[in-house]
Amino acid sequence: MPWWNEKQTYRILFITFLLGLAAYFLYLIRGLFLPFILAIVLVYLLNPIVDRMERRGTSRVAAILILYLGVVIIVTSVLMYGIPRMINQLESLGQAIPAYTDQVEGMVQSIQQRFADSALPPGLQQILNERIRWGEAKLMEIARKAADLLLALVGNLINFALAPVLAFYIMKDLQPIKKRGASLVPPRCYNDVCRLAKEIDHVIACFVRGHLTVVVIVGILSGAAFALVGLEFAAMLGVIAGLAELIPYFGPLIGAVPAVALALLESKWLALKVIVAVFIIQQLEGSIISPRILGNSMGLHPLTIIVALLAGGHLFGIAGMLLAVPLVAVARIGIGFVWEKLN
């Protein structure tokens, strides 16, 4: 029988068509991915606790509701303490920005004047002036992007509120969902697909739980250290330093820049103390915190991680840098699986 008359061929073509249609549909609704991504993060964070409570005799729905209640109490307590302080610090920062801007402009003008008074060749002076103006433009661009990011976060409040609802239904029916997915796998490749799914699940779980734990620890340590050395806006800068830890290698530098810059505007001695504090925290994070919590969970060479971060940042900005490492880790598992089957 010719190949085009075989049922297997029609089945493969039909499945390929369905996959293409599903991919196109997902592309059309790509703007709705955020609540689902946040819901998956919540599932990875909370489901182990729900499973443990269920094993002790609590019904699954009750376990989820009890856990949600506890999370709401904790988050509300933190927000009641932290939000007013953050708002006060933001107001203080807004009032201090004109003074900081005047200081930066004075420093830039001083540098430009030194170059103008120096015996540098005119061509080199022009290049240096252009680089200084380029630096000013970049700083303004960073400030605009930060403001746009804050506005985007406010605009996505509905997505943030929808994520716990989606996570509730996913956790409530997680076992039926897994069984349904397993029933769709052909028997001849069931073991391979299950092994591949477990490896991917392990990588994502380690990234979500481990990195968020590191974020919280580094954020608390940074905020406390900044307050201890007398830096203004310590709580806000600690949050920034903690969130930056989601980006491997470059994250600590990104998180340290705002703190060092604000300290430098006040005094060189304060900037030195902030640098020392950041250095100590990063040594603790690199030698104790991350190895104990994360280990080598991604299974990636450092050079691979750096290239992935650079590529993700170039293509998709901060979001690309955040997602680059877990996506590359998942791709490594998939490529290794296919390579194993081809050999």
Side-chain angles (χ1 to χ4, degrees):
M1 180 182 293
W3 64 268
W4 57 82
N5 288 331
E6 294 181 1
K7 289 185 178 180
Q8 184 69 18
T9 302
Y10 287 112
R11 189 179 294 113
I12 293 174
L13 291 175
F14 180 67
I15 292 174
T16 303
F17 171 75
L18 289 179
L19 290 175
L21 192 63
Y24 180 66
F25 177 72
L26 291 175
Y27 172 77
L28 292 177
I29 63 169
R30 61 191 182 278
L32 304 177
F33 282 179
L34 181 59
F36 287 96
I37 294 174
L38 294 174
I40 291 172
V41 171
L42 285 175
V43 170
Y44 272 105
L45 289 175
L46 303 179
N47 192 65
I49 304 175
V50 172
D51 289 341
R52 194 173 297 116
M53 294 173 66
E54 188 179 20
R55 287 194 295 268
R56 293 185 177 181
T58 308
S59 69
R60 191 162 187 84
V61 173
I64 298 172
L65 293 176
I66 292 171
L67 187 58
Y68 268 31
L69 179 61
V71 171
V72 168
I73 292 173
I74 294 173
V75 171
T76 303
S77 302
V78 172
L79 292 180
M80 288 180 62
Y81 172 76
I83 290 297
R85 292 178 62 86
M86 291 287 290
I87 292 175
N88 291 335
Q89 291 192 0
L90 286 172
E91 290 179 352
S92 301
L93 180 60
Q95 295 172 358
I97 281 178
Y100 288 148
T101 303
D102 292 339
Q103 290 184 19
V104 172
E105 289 180 353
M107 293 169 62
V108 171
Q109 291 174 1
S110 176
I111 293 172
Q112 289 177 328
Q113 187 62 41
R114 289 181 184 178
F115 285 136
D117 295 340
S118 64
L120 293 174
L124 183 56
Q125 284 189 7
Q126 181 179 357
I127 293 173
L128 291 173
N129 288 333
E130 289 176 355
R131 290 294 90 189
I132 291 173
R133 287 193 292 271
W134 175 85
E136 290 181 274
K138 281 294 181 183
L139 289 174
M140 292 298 295
E141 182 181 353
I142 291 172
R144 283 195 297 269
K145 286 184 177 180
D148 291 341
L149 178 61
L150 290 175
L151 292 175
L153 290 175
V154 173
N156 281 299
L157 286 178
I158 296 178
N159 292 330
F160 292 131
L162 184 59
V165 178
L166 296 173
F168 172 83
Y169 286 106
I170 293 174
M171 285 189 288
K172 183 176 76 70
D173 298 324
L174 189 58
Q175 294 305 319
I177 291 173
K178 288 182 177 180
K179 290 180 180 178
R180 177 60 179 167
S183 67
L184 298 176
V185 179
R188 63 180 179 274
C189 54
Y190 179 83
N191 292 332
D192 291 333
V193 172
C194 287
R195 178 169 64 87
L196 182 63
K198 286 180 180 179
E199 291 181 9
I200 293 175
D201 177 72
H202 174 72
V203 167
I204 297 176
C206 288
F207 180 81
V208 172
R209 298 169 192 157
H211 280 78
L212 288 182
T213 302
V214 173
V215 163
V216 172
I217 294 174
V218 172
I220 293 174
L221 291 177
S222 299
F226 295 155
L228 188 62
V229 300
L231 181 63
E232 287 189 283
F233 321 117
M236 183 176 61
L237 294 171
V239 171
I240 294 173
L243 292 175
E245 285 294 321
L246 286 171
I247 303 174
Y249 294 106
F250 302 122
L253 178 61
I254 295 173
V257 167
V260 175
L262 286 177
L264 190 60
L265 290 175
E266 186 167 338
S267 72
K268 294 179 180 179
W269 173 240
L270 180 60
L272 179 61
K273 290 193 289 186
V274 170
I275 291 173
V276 171
V278 170
F279 177 77
I280 293 173
I281 291 171
Q282 291 309 315
Q283 291 302 307
L284 290 173
E285 185 269 336
S287 58
I288 298 176
I289 300 172
S290 287
R292 288 183 177 272
I293 296 175
L294 298 175
N296 191 26
S297 58
M298 295 293 104
L300 298 174
H301 190 276
L303 182 60
T304 304
I305 294 177
I306 292 174
V307 172
L309 290 170
L310 292 175
H314 176 72
L315 294 174
F316 304 107
I318 296 297
M321 297 183 75
L322 291 174
L323 297 175
V325 175
L327 290 179
V328 170
V330 171
R332 178 192 65 82
I333 294 173
I335 293 171
F337 175 80
V338 174
W339 183 261
E340 177 186 330
K341 293 301 174 183
L342 292 176
N343 289 332

